[in-house]
Amino acid sequence: MSSTLLLKNALVIATLDDEQREIANGSVFIRGNRVEAVGPASELPATADKVIDMTGHVLIPGLINTHHHMFQSLTRALPAAQNAELFDWLTALFPVWQNITPAMQRAATRTAMAELMLSGCTTAADHAYLYVNGTRLDDSVQAAQEMGMRFHAVRGAMSLGQSKGGLPPDALVEQDEDAILKEMQRVVEELHDATPDAMIKVALGPCSPFTVTTDLMREGAALARSYGVGLHTHTAENAKDLAFSKERYGMTPTEYTESVGWVGHDVWHAHCVHLDDPGIALFARTGTGVAHCPCSNMRLASGIAPIRKMRDAGVKVGLGVDGSASNDTNNLLDEARQAMLSARVRDENPTAMSAREALYIATRGGADVLGRADMLGRIQPGYCADIIAFRTDDIAMAGALIDPIAALVFCTPQRVAHSIINGRQVIEDGVLLTRELPLIIEEHNALARELVLGK
């Protein structure tokens, strides 16, 4: 028989279910990895195999990160890339990333996941497009299993080097596209779990129009659909991205996207800062998702994505922290705050996005984008038990308890008190349980120093 877990007496539970219930003095009863009941504490069982007293806590569904490059955690705040736009930023970092090893990949993934988990993230998609010195997607998956995080591992690729008109150096790309497709097939067959409550899923992700060929985009899409897995790439990120697409392909990024078959419910695109009106209509009509990365977009001066317009048109939108060399943090709750603030700045309208809508995008929105809307993103019977709790006596919440749900976004407490992923407690009283955080940090710093300084 499955073990049971009771989270009892929460100050308030924001379920994010279809009724958008906010339950005062609420409890959640979990059996195995699923929510069995949620409601007022007086109406739920009083005991379970394990009971956690949530008095003075706010409970919400685990946050969902739809776009990341976890290996980039090794090169945070690199001086040569601190004040550059996207293409110049990549050009500064490519030579450094060329020396990444499998051990570095695993360490960076553990660091990124630890920081994500401590900020309330329970599910993350990582677009791993760099494969050098023997690194494989398996390295990222191993780290996810160690950390206990729900993971969408995106097998990306770069194949279009500078000699063929692409942005990355030839030494950094995988030039044999048949070999890329063969490896993509392998990771799907060996690593992907198709069950609805899977902890590990695989998607395919040729990196971007300026780093892969048209053939790889088309063939990657065909391969993904033959296996029923998702598709992920970058689209319309900045002005140079637009110019490249128009010069090389004679199309806007979204026209190109449609021409290679990259629209549909199984596809999500990162950034989309410069998605035009026809592109927004295309994405809405086809069920194509968007990973909104406001901090990275601002860090690289790419612009502010038209998220209000996308949402009003019916486009699926989730949040992504992007790589930690273009955001420099892995805090998904902060990303929700920036999504709210940047929407207001773009439209010069304080009602352009509310705190609750930002939380919706960070939870249910992400589940929709990743194709997990039937299992993730809400606290509801039958759904996976991915639940986070924040203390309301934290300094960040002082004076905000008249509306603690909105305060999570406006005030942004920096660390969760508790995190449950797939019915398993992975953070207790702000402490990561699955790995020793000081050891993660120590290893990561040593390998980052070796990568950047060669010592």
Side-chain angles (χ1 to χ4, degrees):
M1 180 179 292
S2 299
S3 62
T4 56
L5 171 64
L6 177 64
L7 312 177
K8 70 173 187 178
N9 301 328
L11 176 68
V12 61
I13 301 172
T15 64
L16 275 296
D17 63 10
D18 289 335
E19 290 75 40
Q20 299 290 295
R21 290 183 298 162
E22 296 180 5
I23 304 169
N25 190 27
S27 294
V28 183
F29 188 81
I30 297 164
R31 187 179 301 277
N33 71 338
R34 303 290 183 92
V35 173
E36 187 169 292
V38 56
S42 60
E43 298 177 6
L44 266 67
T47 61
D49 295 327
K50 181 177 181 179
V51 178
I52 304 175
D53 187 357
M54 291 292 178
T55 301
H57 290 73
V58 178
L59 271 60
I60 64 173
L63 307 180
I64 297 173
N65 175 23
T66 62
H67 182 68
H68 207 149
H69 307 295
M70 294 185 181
F71 73 87
Q72 293 181 9
S73 297
L74 293 159
T75 51
R76 298 202 223 205
L78 195 73
Q82 287 178 9
N83 304 306
E85 57 73 46
L86 175 64
F87 279 31
D88 292 341
W89 172 84
L90 285 168
T91 299
L93 286 162
F94 279 150
V96 180
W97 293 341
Q98 190 170 322
N99 296 313
I100 287 175
T101 65
M104 292 174 181
Q105 177 72 26
R106 292 190 295 271
T109 303
R110 285 190 289 266
T111 295
M113 287 185 170
E115 194 172 8
L116 283 170
M117 292 164 71
L118 288 165
S119 77
C121 184
T122 56
T123 299
D126 183 39
H127 191 187
Y129 58 78
L130 183 69
Y131 296 93
V132 292
N133 306 312
T135 54
R136 302 196 305 169
L137 192 67
D138 308 58
D139 297 312
S140 302
V141 170
Q142 177 186 327
Q145 292 170 330
E146 293 171 5
M147 298 300 296
M149 189 170 215
R150 199 179 298 278
F151 190 45
H152 282 237
V154 182
R155 207 303 179 177
M158 296 191 298
S159 64
L160 191 67
Q162 290 175 354
S163 65
K164 297 179 181 178
L167 185 68
D170 287 358
L172 203 60
V173 305
E174 299 173 274
Q175 298 192 34
D176 185 342
E177 293 191 343
D178 288 338
I180 291 172
L181 292 166
K182 185 177 180 180
E183 176 64 4
M184 287 180 168
Q185 180 178 352
R186 181 194 71 81
V187 297
V188 171
E189 291 178 349
E190 294 184 7
L191 304 176
H192 177 67
D193 183 348
T195 58
D197 58 355
M199 288 292 288
I200 303 292
K201 286 188 177 290
V202 171
L204 303 184
C207 185
S208 66
F210 52 85
T211 59
V212 299
T213 68
T214 297
D215 285 344
L216 187 59
M217 291 293 288
R218 289 199 179 103
E219 292 177 25
L223 179 63
R225 289 183 172 125
S226 73
Y227 280 92
V229 300
L231 287 158
H232 183 46
T233 193
H234 298 80
T235 295
E237 185 170 353
N238 80 347
K240 287 186 178 180
D241 190 353
L242 295 180
F244 183 94
S245 184
K246 289 179 180 178
E247 180 179 348
R248 185 175 180 88
Y249 305 114
M251 292 179 271
T252 66
T254 46
E255 288 170 341
Y256 175 74
T257 288
E258 185 175 25
S259 75
V260 292
W262 275 70
V263 292
H265 290 279
D266 54 351
V267 184
W268 79 104
H269 295 257
H271 300 289
C272 299
V273 174
H274 298 281
L275 199 66
D276 55 17
D277 287 347
I280 291 173
L282 172 68
F283 280 22
R285 184 173 67 252
T286 58
T288 306
V290 169
H292 178 38
C293 307
C295 288
S296 174
N297 296 340
M298 290 187 282
R299 156 73 144 87
L300 299 177
S302 298
I304 301 174
I307 298 302
R308 178 75 274 143
K309 188 178 288 188
M310 291 185 202
R311 294 266 298 155
D312 289 346
V315 176
K316 298 184 298 186
V317 177
L319 291 181
V321 301
D322 203 12
S324 281
S326 63
N327 180 339
D328 305 289
T329 185
N330 298 290
N331 188 319
L332 197 59
L333 188 60
D334 182 59
E335 209 70 39
R337 183 174 189 265
Q338 294 303 328
M340 177 185 73
L341 298 180
S342 61
R344 296 179 178 200
V345 169
R346 178 185 168 90
D347 293 351
E348 298 182 10
N349 179 359
T351 68
M353 185 177 293
S354 70
R356 283 172 171 78
E357 185 176 13
L359 281 179
Y360 185 100
I361 293 171
T363 53
R364 287 187 61 162
D368 287 344
V369 165
L370 296 182
R372 307 294 296 271
D374 58 342
M375 279 287 124
L376 306 180
R378 62 188 87 178
I379 304 175
Q380 181 173 314
Y383 275 66
C384 291
D386 292 4
I387 299 168
I388 57 175
F390 291 90
R391 297 176 62 96
T392 56
D393 61 357
D394 185 271
I395 185 66
M397 301 282 276
L401 299 190
I402 193 70
D403 188 353
I405 301 300
L408 292 179
V409 178
F410 279 105
C411 307
T412 321
Q414 290 301 300
R415 184 171 290 200
V416 293
H418 303 279
S419 177
I420 311 296
I421 301 180
N422 208 42
R424 173 194 182 196
Q425 188 168 18
V426 294
I427 294 174
E428 181 179 17
D429 293 326
V431 177
L432 183 68
L433 301 179
T434 55
R435 291 288 298 248
E436 291 286 338
L437 189 59
L439 296 181
I440 289 175
I441 296 168
E442 181 181 5
E443 178 190 31
H444 184 88
N445 280 336
L447 290 174
R449 189 180 306 111
E450 179 184 336
L451 176 66
V452 176
L453 301 178
K455 58 182 179 181

